[in-house]
Amino acid sequence: MQQTYAVNPQKEDSNNQFCSYYQCLNGIFDEMCLNSEKIRPHWEDIMRSLNMLGRVELERRWQEAYRLLRDNGVTYNMYGDPQGRDRPWQLDPIPLLISSQEWSSIERGLIQRAELFSLLLADLYGPRETLHKGLLPVELIASYPGFLRPCMTIQYPLRHRLVWYAIDLARTANGQWWALADHTQAPAGAGYALENRSIMSRVLPSLFRNSHVHRISLFFRTLRATLASMSTREDHRIVLLTTGPDNETYFEHAYLAKYLGYTLVQGADLMVREGKVRLKTLGGLQPVEVILRRVDDLFCDPLELHPDSYSGVAGLLQAVRLGNVAMANPIGTGLLEHPGLLSYLPKLARYFLDEDLLIPSPTCWWCGDPQARTHVLANLNQLVIKRTSFHSGQKASFRGRLLDFKQSNQLRDEIRAHPHWFVGCQEVEYSTTPVFTNGRFEPRQMVLRSFLVSSEDEHRVMPGGLTRVSSNPDSPFFSTQGAGISKDTWVLASEPESESLSLHSFKQAFVAFEGKRELPSRVAENLFWLGRYAERADCTSRLLRTVLLYLAEPYEFANFERRPCLHSLLRAVTLLTETHPGFIGTGAQAKLEAPESELLSVFLDQNRIGSLSSTLRFLLNAAKSVRDRISPDIWRVITDIDDQLQTMQREASIRPSEALAGLDNLILALAAFAGLSIENMTHGQGWLFLMIGRRLERAVHLTGLFHATLTTITAEETVLLENLLSVTDSLLSYRRYYRSQPESHATLELILRSESNPRSLGYQLVRLTTDIAELPRNEIEPYRTSEERLILEALTQLRLADMEKLAQPTDRYFRKELEQLLTDLGKLLPKLSDALTHSHFSHADQPRQLVQLGMEVD
């Protein structure tokens, strides 16, 4: 039942009515409303400011927040989406407010809970006194998949047991905060909380400043200092281990890695050699001292834990056991997420701390206990049933009152068959907080995820955290895999907080890493292919645009056979995109006579390998894999490309004129990507591979384009040459250099051999020669590398070629010498790509040789 009352009873114009009335839920604690007459004191100033803004302005600010989130690429990967799309992160413009006085009591309860779990972790993987003394049933621990026996002998320093910790909090009707769940393996959400704060401080700057909100930057400085203290070396290397772009919170992984200044790695980037963890970089294997992991326990080491894991590192647990690498959090901390532990926490708090829990958990009954099982089975429709062990596709929890008769009986049978796998918990009515939707405020039930990090002498709590509210007013569930909404959480101070928050206490040794000694081989490969896909998309877009423009021109002959230039261009589309049969194979004649449908397919069919849409999809995937290396401006361009592609693919049918407009926009976006890549990226090893990928792909495209069009002579060669100059964006350059219609030898000179035209093949080969010479190499190797020899051979062949001779036909319709040169270059360029892959992307270790008496022994 809902109750309506005025939260600001003064009369206002229609623009401000959105915040004058608010419907709260009867019997449920509301974060904003104190009673039916007024709102809570710490909400008054903010609500007054929001009323002054009015509905229209607040809507505009919300749209601005949405734009910033989109531009920054803030997403949460949505499982079960048939297209595998990233779901945009949703942020409500109304923050959750908590007073400093209340937060102080919450903070004490959170720190108490962290200390309790730290002691419990040390006991369960150490002396196990809680089991020996009967404080915990042995079966409770032994039956839980998160209890990892290989971790039982590992000892951690006190402050390194639980470095990174998160708790889900909810408030009940009487105002009491409850701890719903603990996250101890790889807690997610802190990065999203940081991004929410960044967005809110931009869209509501005056409100944020005047509210004296506690800053959260100190929390992340503490995290950096703690992780640095876990290494025994001053020149420590800390990495953030992720499962990759398919992870639901991959945005956060990349965001935190960039924010904290750590290298983002996947399992394949690391290896264990002689009991030590090494990072595979272009400069060889580099030591890793600390790993901030975002990979669950079981998938960290396929050698000792889950054998099918592709996310972990074989031998990682042994390296931890030997003390050669520190983990945050330690492997095995997933045991603390066991929902059955909630039943025993009050007793454990008194045992370890001699205190009662300041923030209790809902009453739970572990079904492995006969009496608890009897209670759960008898009260199934009043409880939330949680699985402690489940497979993919199984639900992790059930609300008993939502199950029908058949489902209830089925669940009871499962509980009787496997009682150790189920926990029944008291269902809690969560408090509500206002959200801005449809131009007005509505109450939604909320959960607050708070974060803690250990420091030298205590645990430090992030002031606030990540608040989640349901997008459905009738649903109290807050799964991030659903369509939930987030909120920034403001802990309000009584006075402005100092800008300098004990910066001197976080002073660390200055460490500088050479770029080549920090760049993982996988990242270098993804940057290389990002460059190739970007250039391939640009070349394909320009070719399609030129063909569509040529088709749009009026022509006196309707018969296709009277337009031989078009035949060459259409043939080039199929050959360069490899979208066979296209305009060459079976059914080609019909497509040649009406080519629009085939051209649109080559443009928009994302399921067709080689199409422009498919290439752009590969580009986006490569960009996601290295998004921690990409500046925000470049990422905005990538987001624009993705949006343009989706917009056109949603259309039921596209006319050629609309396709031309779409191609113009894509070409402009790709040009922006190229420019920002040069201006916004540090010109280190990663940038070199991006540029090498672009140069190599453009060289491949140009050789293929000339091979498809100019080796065979057509009746309309002047028109064909003009179109080729347009495809290569060299038409204006030709007109400046030559005062005549396009000639074949001059066109070859400008686009094929010129070393000053950025669009020419010669220019690409010269730049490739320079860039490849700067790549890391074995310092003791006196000879040229294989890639250096290949690019030198290609450049030499081109420089020695006679353009006028190449332009001359060997017979009436064919240029054999041009065809031979392009064929030779077409073989060398793929070999160059393979050589780069072999030398830099398959790196494991630097070769070591013993030389004795003139003989080399591996």
Side-chain angles (χ1 to χ4, degrees), residues 798-825:
L798 185 60
R799 282 174 171 173
L800 294 176
D802 185 338
M803 294 298 112
E804 290 194 8
K805 190 175 180 180
L806 292 178
Q808 297 300 319
T810 52
D811 56 39
R812 185 178 178 184
Y813 298 108
F814 193 64
R815 296 184 173 101
K816 184 171 180 56
E817 292 195 17
L818 177 61
E819 193 271 344
Q820 185 61 51
L821 174 63
L822 295 174
T823 299
D824 292 342
L825 293 175

Side-chain angles (χ1 to χ4, degrees), residues 187-198:
Y192 289 105
L194 181 60
E195 178 67 8
N196 283 354
R197 176 60 55 86
S198 175

